[in-house]
Amino acid sequence: MARDIPISNGKLLICFDREYRIRDLYFPHVGQENHACGYPFRFGIWVDGRFSWFSDNSWHKQLNYLEDSLVTDVTLQNHELGLEVRCSDFVDYRKNFHGKTIKVKNLRAEKRHIKVFFHQDFRIYGSEVGDTGFYEPNIKAVVHYKGNRYFLSSVSGGTELYSIGAKAHGNAEGTWRDAEDGHLQNTAITHGSVDSTIGKEHTVAGHGEWDFEYWLCAGKDFNEVKTMHESLLAGSLKSRLLLTHEYWKLWVNKEDFDLTPLPEWAQKLFKRSLLIVSTQVDHEGAILAANDSEIQAAYKDHYSYLWPRDGALVANALDQAGYRQISQRFFHLLVKLIQPEGYFLHKYNPRGELASSWHPWLRNGKPQLPIQEDETALVLWALSEHFDLTRDVEFIREMYETIIIKAGRFLASYRDAKTGLPLPSYDLWEERKGIMTFTCCTVESGLRVAAKFAQMFGEVGIAAEFALAASEVKAAIEKHLYDPVQGRYLRGLIHHHDNTDELVPDATVDASLFALFRFGTFSVKCERVRSTMRAYRDKLWVKTHIGGIARYQHDWYQAGSPPTDQVPGNPWVISTLWLMMEEIFGAELEDELSDSLKYLEWVHRHALPSGVLAEQIDPYTGAPISVSPLTWSHATVIDSVMLYLRKLSELRRARRVPYSLKNGDRLIH
């Protein structure tokens, strides 16, 4: 189930599902540890002797954000109960607490006694074993703890309705069941597998309104959460909401880009993507692929990891949009992760430990590196882009010895002596091993920019070595990865069977072939590239009323039915936007550039109402599939918009028509 409205401050990340239930709660790192593990924190109401959870189908729910903000704007309506509830949620931009303002509107003429209940279902450190929940009467709050993780919940005025009990043990379902008769038992403490429910009650006049607040504080000891709670109990939650709202408005508008050439929906999608990406970035630099624990049910694993490739592409998008400090934190973290030999492994936890992997260290009885070579190469490409945008010599000096030279030497050496191509590694989609065109293009780019940096720092011999290796890889791509019969580039040369070293041509049309032009290996106007992209457009477009571009022909991942020529796989946001990039790179006229917006408009149509983008889209219904939000999807929106605006600037400059990418900035015309 999609996570419709994530909110975060880089340390505390809270994700709500489409039913407006907290399902994931990460602290003290984005993506690590998940103290909810996908189990719902319920939210409900009692009136006229009837109880209803807001997740019930009787409620009409609108889950959005306030404009230019990571403060939510949620409306819940139930005409059968005669109630409307408006909520705003936020994670404080400086302190580690989640706040919620609640406005209950009585839609009937008679006064009514109403109770609202908040259920907390913690699995502290990812396990329900050994938790404790207790009521602290001096501060009127419920506290859950284990080790040095503490979570305190309360409401304005202090908690007086509460129940703490056992859950998922024997016949005990949890205290949320206790709430359904409108009464809580005020149980003071429970240990083991524990949940809790707190409530607040009030008599509301006919057509009247009732405003109050709820908060959930996270900390590493009792005093930390108690101090936050006492501040909020004194009445500061609404002021913190306003400050957080103003912070995010300032943050998302800080570059003051002139977005007026874009339709209003595109401007909003761009800003929302920036904000959503920020929720998926840890304060210590890790850029996480996605934080949606729903995927665990099928795969017993998740996407809450740092992939160097994904991170490099996201960092580049943030660089283009002006968020270069985030990118620099990411690169500084990579300094700690690069292997002494100069490569990155598969993926990492948010704190930087090596994460789970399915890439073996042994194949056919022979040792092998369990890597995707593009993950190393794209870090070099992203560093080059970062320097070109910032001209930050001091920063790139730090990166030169720690990453650039190490990675450059690895890429130059990790090649086949006969062909000049990179040695086999795992592909972009992590499904097959071989010599992939995508990987080769990223390696060529990585070597080319490593040569540029070596030249800059006066190491002429090293620069010549890297430049020669880059030229050899490019020549080898043209010689070995172009199929003259098909008239286009191959996906790669793959190991057709796991028990053989033989490499066979793979002519599958794959969206990853956009790398031919994206990282500078070839011009988008090269006929070989053009013919490859024509096949991309023809073979990968989903021929239903949904449309969009699949990853590759006959893609089974998350497919609800067998792939066909008409529906080669589920359409992905990233692969659809890569087609937009091709049109941007090739545009010679403004009309051609404007036409590329149709792909961005497709993405906009398939976003959730909140603006959140999934990894994939159902080719028959348009529903989100797999994790949501996917950081890469939102980063590709940012990337596409920035490429569009820069190309617009270039085309108008050629026509001597003034356009400034930034309002008031006359450096770009």
Side-chain angles (χ1 to χ4, degrees):
M1 183 178 288
R3 302 307 188 233
D4 288 46
I5 42 174
I7 49 177
S8 177
N9 64 1
K11 295 181 180 179
L12 174 62
L13 167 62
I14 290 177
C15 304
F16 293 85
D17 68 13
R18 69 187 62 169
E19 304 299 343
Y20 193 40
R21 300 172 297 189
I22 293 174
R23 295 290 295 276
D24 296 310
L25 190 158
Y26 300 91
F27 175 79
H29 292 275
V30 169
Q32 190 181 16
E33 304 124 13
N34 190 348
H35 304 286
C37 298
Y39 290 88
F41 283 37
R42 295 168 172 87
F43 179 30
I45 197 163
W46 179 93
V47 64
D48 302 335
R50 298 175 61 186
F51 185 90
S52 178
W53 295 110
F54 290 114
S55 54
D56 295 347
N57 291 333
S58 58
W59 289 91
H60 176 67
K61 294 174 274 287
Q62 294 178 294
L63 277 59
N64 293 300
Y65 293 95
L66 297 178
E67 187 173 352
D68 291 0
S69 180
L70 280 177
V71 176
T72 74
D73 182 13
V74 176
T75 302
L76 309 162
Q77 293 178 322
N78 190 319
H79 294 293
E80 184 182 344
L81 293 179
L83 294 171
E84 178 182 281
V85 180
R86 294 287 300 270
C87 300
S88 287
D89 301 271
F90 69 104
V91 168
D92 189 82
Y93 79 106
R94 285 196 303 177
K95 299 179 180 179
N96 295 319
F97 71 84
H98 158 228
K100 181 195 296 286
T101 62
I102 304 103
K103 180 190 293 289
V104 180
K105 185 174 182 180
N106 180 6
L107 302 179
R108 294 182 181 169
E110 66 273 14
K111 70 177 181 181
R112 307 163 80 191
H113 194 68
I114 299 173
K115 299 179 183 180
V116 176
F117 295 94
F118 306 87
H119 167 243
Q120 291 95 198
D121 191 359
F122 286 103
R123 266 84 172 165
I124 301 177
Y125 290 114
S127 168
E128 72 273 23
V129 176
D131 289 2
T132 299
F134 69 91
Y135 178 70
E136 217 290 20
N138 296 307
I139 58 174
K140 295 185 177 181
V142 167
V143 178
H144 288 252
Y145 75 91
K146 181 163 61 187
N148 63 349
R149 298 290 180 265
Y150 281 72
F151 301 94
L152 179 152
S153 61
S154 191
V155 291
S156 47
T159 297
E160 295 181 345
L161 303 177
Y162 59 89
S163 185
I164 303 161
K167 55 107 191 288
H169 180 67
N171 295 322
E173 293 184 81
T175 58
W176 60 278
R177 284 296 192 194
D178 188 22
E180 290 182 337
D181 63 1
H183 300 283
L184 295 175
Q185 301 302 312
N186 285 14
T187 311
I189 191 167
T190 303
H191 72 100
S193 179
V194 182
D195 77 338
S196 66
T197 302
I198 66 174
K200 182 127 178 117
E201 61 183 334
H202 188 71
T203 299
V204 183
H207 299 298
E209 295 180 348
W210 169 34
D211 294 272
F212 69 103
E213 297 138 17
Y214 162 88
W215 52 84
L216 176 61
C217 305
K220 296 184 179 181
D221 58 49
F222 177 68
N223 285 332
E224 184 179 357
V225 295
K226 177 175 177 283
T227 300
M228 275 188 276
H229 165 69
E230 289 175 337
S231 172
L232 297 170
L233 201 60
S236 66
L237 187 135
K238 285 186 178 177
S239 65
R240 297 305 306 177
L241 183 152
L242 291 172
L243 288 172
T244 299
H245 177 55
E246 291 300 319
Y247 169 79
W248 288 115
K249 282 175 61 181
L250 174 65
W251 185 90
V252 81
N253 290 295
K254 76 180 186 72
E255 292 300 305
D256 196 23
F257 289 125
D258 180 6
L259 301 176
T260 55
L262 295 169
E264 186 176 354
W265 58 261
Q267 298 178 38
K268 290 181 177 179
L269 181 62
F270 171 70
K271 290 185 180 182
R272 180 54 53 200
S273 289
L274 282 168
L275 290 162
I276 295 298
V277 166
S278 78
T279 69
Q280 309 298 299
V281 178
D282 183 65
H283 67 286
E284 290 187 352
I287 296 173
L288 290 310
N291 292 287
D292 175 355
S293 65
E294 197 78 11
I295 197 83
Q296 292 176 182
Y299 296 96
K300 301 303 179 185
D301 209 341
H302 48 73
Y303 280 40
S304 295
Y305 299 121
L306 182 165
W307 273 265
R309 173 212 310 107
D310 299 34
L313 293 169
V314 176
N316 175 248
L318 291 170
D319 272 341
Q320 292 186 65
Y323 296 87
R324 290 150 195 170
Q325 287 185 331
I326 298 177
S327 300
Q328 289 193 358
R329 285 198 296 271
F330 167 72
F331 291 126
H332 279 301
L333 178 59
L334 292 187
V335 170
K336 303 174 185 177
L337 304 184
I338 193 167
Q339 295 294 300
E341 298 85 357
Y343 59 84
F344 293 99
L345 289 165
H346 185 184
K347 54 190 171 78
Y348 302 85
N349 290 317
R351 286 195 295 256
E353 308 101 336
L354 185 62
S356 62
S357 179
W358 50 92
H359 295 342
W361 292 73
L362 184 73
R363 186 177 184 277
N364 297 335
K366 301 174 184 177
Q368 67 171 8
L369 288 183
I371 65 171
Q372 300 160 64
E373 211 173 340
D374 62 281
E375 296 213 84
T376 301
L378 282 174
V379 169
L380 295 183
W381 171 81
L383 280 168
S384 176
E385 295 282 301
H386 180 86
F387 178 75
D388 289 345
L389 287 164
T390 65
R391 309 305 293 177
D392 189 339
V393 176
E394 293 296 318
F395 170 74
I396 213 66
R397 183 188 67 177
E398 294 179 59
M399 297 295 110
Y400 182 66
E401 289 289 346
T402 55
I403 292 181
I404 295 169
I405 287 296
K406 284 183 181 179
R409 284 177 171 150
F410 172 76
L411 295 177
S413 64
Y414 197 69
R415 293 188 297 136
D416 184 272
K418 292 181 179 179
T419 66
L421 288 168
L423 290 172
S425 65
Y426 289 91
D427 74 334
L428 168 66
W429 311 123
E430 308 181 325
E431 296 174 339
R432 58 195 59 81
K433 188 177 181 185
I435 301 172
M436 316 307 294
T437 299
F438 178 89
T439 305
C440 294
C441 290
T442 63
V443 168
E444 186 276 336
S445 176
L447 285 165
R448 181 165 25 89
V449 301
K452 177 187 79 172
F453 282 124
Q455 188 72 38
M456 279 170 37
F457 284 97
E459 300 200 85
V460 179
I462 296 174
E465 175 192 342
F466 291 163
L468 176 61
S471 66
E472 289 173 347
V473 171
K474 181 174 181 177
I477 293 171
E478 293 185 282
K479 180 177 180 181
H480 299 286
L481 293 173
Y482 179 76
D483 183 347
V485 176
Q486 298 277 351
R488 56 180 171 82
Y489 282 97
L490 300 166
R491 172 160 67 177
L493 307 172
I494 66 167
H495 291 304
H496 193 59
H497 301 289
D498 286 342
N499 59 355
T500 178
D501 290 331
E502 180 188 9
L503 289 165
V504 297
D506 181 358
T508 303
V509 179
D510 192 306
S512 67
L513 290 165
F514 91 109
L516 289 163
F517 66 86
R518 178 64 183 95
F519 307 113
T521 303
F522 300 106
S523 166
V524 75
K525 297 179 181 179
C526 164
E527 182 50 39
R528 288 185 171 189
V529 174
R530 290 165 66 93
S531 64
T532 303
M533 293 307 293
R534 282 195 292 269
Y536 181 126
R537 191 184 311 266
D538 179 52
K539 301 293 186 182
L540 300 185
W541 186 260
V542 172
K543 298 171 182 67
T544 68
H545 70 285
I546 298 301
I549 292 285
R551 285 194 306 174
Y552 54 80
Q553 292 174 292
H554 307 295
D555 180 9
W556 279 90
Y557 182 55
Q558 301 276 356
S561 58
T564 66
D565 289 342
Q566 298 298 304
V567 182
N570 297 331
W572 285 49
V573 170
I574 57 173
S575 52
T576 303
L577 288 175
W578 291 341
L579 202 51
M580 178 180 175
M581 290 183 189
E582 183 218 5
E583 295 195 7
I584 292 172
F585 274 65
E588 296 180 351
L589 301 171
E590 278 193 45
D591 286 346
E592 295 173 335
L593 183 63
S594 297
D595 191 50
S596 72
L597 288 173
K598 61 182 177 288
Y599 301 107
L600 191 63
E601 200 274 332
W602 180 90
V603 171
H604 165 66
R605 287 201 315 272
H606 294 99
L608 295 174
S610 62
V612 162
L613 297 171
E615 179 183 72
Q616 308 171 45
I617 304 299
D618 188 291
Y620 301 101
T621 68
I625 290 179
S626 191
V627 293
S628 176
L630 183 75
T631 312
W632 198 355
S633 293
H634 286 284
T636 310
V637 167
I638 299 165
D639 191 11
S640 300
V641 168
M642 294 307 301
L643 290 172
Y644 181 96
L645 293 176
R646 293 183 190 282
K647 187 58 177 276
L648 177 65
S649 171
E650 176 187 318
L651 293 175
R652 289 191 177 178
R653 184 170 62 245
R655 293 172 48 222
R656 300 185 180 276
V657 176
Y659 168 68
S660 175
L661 182 59
K662 287 188 179 182
N663 288 311
D665 181 359
R666 306 318 300 172
L667 295 177
I668 302 175
H669 293 90

